[in-house]
Amino acid sequence: MALILLRHTRPVGAAGLCYGRTDLAVADDFDAEVLRLTADLPRIAQIVTSPLTRTAKLARAIGAASDLPVREDDRLVEMDFGAWEGLAWEAIPRAELDAWADDLMHARPHGGESVAMLAARVGAALSSLDGGDTLVVTHAGVVRAALARAGRPDPWSFKLDYGAWVTLPG
């Protein structure tokens, strides 16, 4: 089983914002992005998605085009940034960002989830998948956690554009 990890398309108002679990709407180019993705994505047997609007709406559109049902899994939601949610990254106190960078896996200066907590939750979600090639419509942090689980080098610095995907062998 191949695992295709698709990052949601561009949301409205995301530029410069710490928005983890903040439920942002999709941008105006959403329909064009869906057409591109349905033409370019490899064949899939099932679709699983984060329940946030920017992922679930995309998963449902791909599911409709592929004649596949979509299953939501709360464990695939983006990292909880606690008090940082909705703030501009530049508005977050430098000392808090430094504390997070100094202990990326375990620090929680925002009061939300640690990266280790995110990784554990994502690992549990991915371990529960069965069946054929699976499309997981999700978020950059979840993709990074999946890459870490797969042993990819430097997964926490991995960059993935909106509407892009990576494939992991099953």
Side-chain angles (χ1 to χ4, degrees):
M1 167 185 90
L3 188 63
I4 302 154
L5 301 157
L6 171 62
R7 185 181 185 196
H8 57 81
T9 58
R10 187 174 54 87
V12 173
L17 191 68
C18 178
Y19 61 93
R21 289 194 180 182
T22 302
D23 202 8
L24 301 176
V26 298
D28 290 340
D29 62 350
F30 177 78
D31 291 335
E33 285 293 287
V34 169
L35 288 175
R36 177 186 65 81
L37 287 165
T38 55
D40 293 347
L41 280 167
R43 282 193 167 266
I44 51 175
Q46 61 182 335
I47 302 171
V48 183
T49 186
S50 156
L52 294 181
T53 300
R54 61 189 181 267
T55 51
K57 185 173 182 177
L58 179 58
R60 287 191 301 270
I62 294 169
S66 307
D67 198 28
L68 290 170
V70 174
R71 181 172 58 86
E72 290 186 4
D73 188 331
D74 290 341
R75 298 172 296 181
L76 298 173
V77 74
E78 183 59 286
M79 186 167 155
D80 178 358
F81 284 103
W84 295 356
E85 287 283 336
L87 295 179
W89 282 103
E90 64 187 26
I92 298 170
R94 183 81 235 170
E96 292 180 20
L97 289 170
D98 289 345
W100 190 40
D102 287 345
D103 185 9
L104 182 66
M105 291 305 292
H106 303 287
R108 299 172 51 217
H110 44 62
E113 270 183 307
S114 69
V115 172
M117 293 164 75
L118 166 72
R121 150 169 83 72
V122 169
L126 297 180
S127 292
S128 73
L129 296 176
D130 59 352
D133 295 342
T134 302
L135 176 66
V136 176
V137 184
T138 193
H139 312 273
V142 173
V143 172
R144 291 179 185 120
L147 293 174
R149 181 175 184 262
R152 292 278 180 100
D154 200 21
W156 303 109
S157 298
F158 183 78
K159 303 288 186 216
L160 187 65
D161 290 336
Y162 295 119
W165 69 86
V166 296
T167 303
L168 296 176

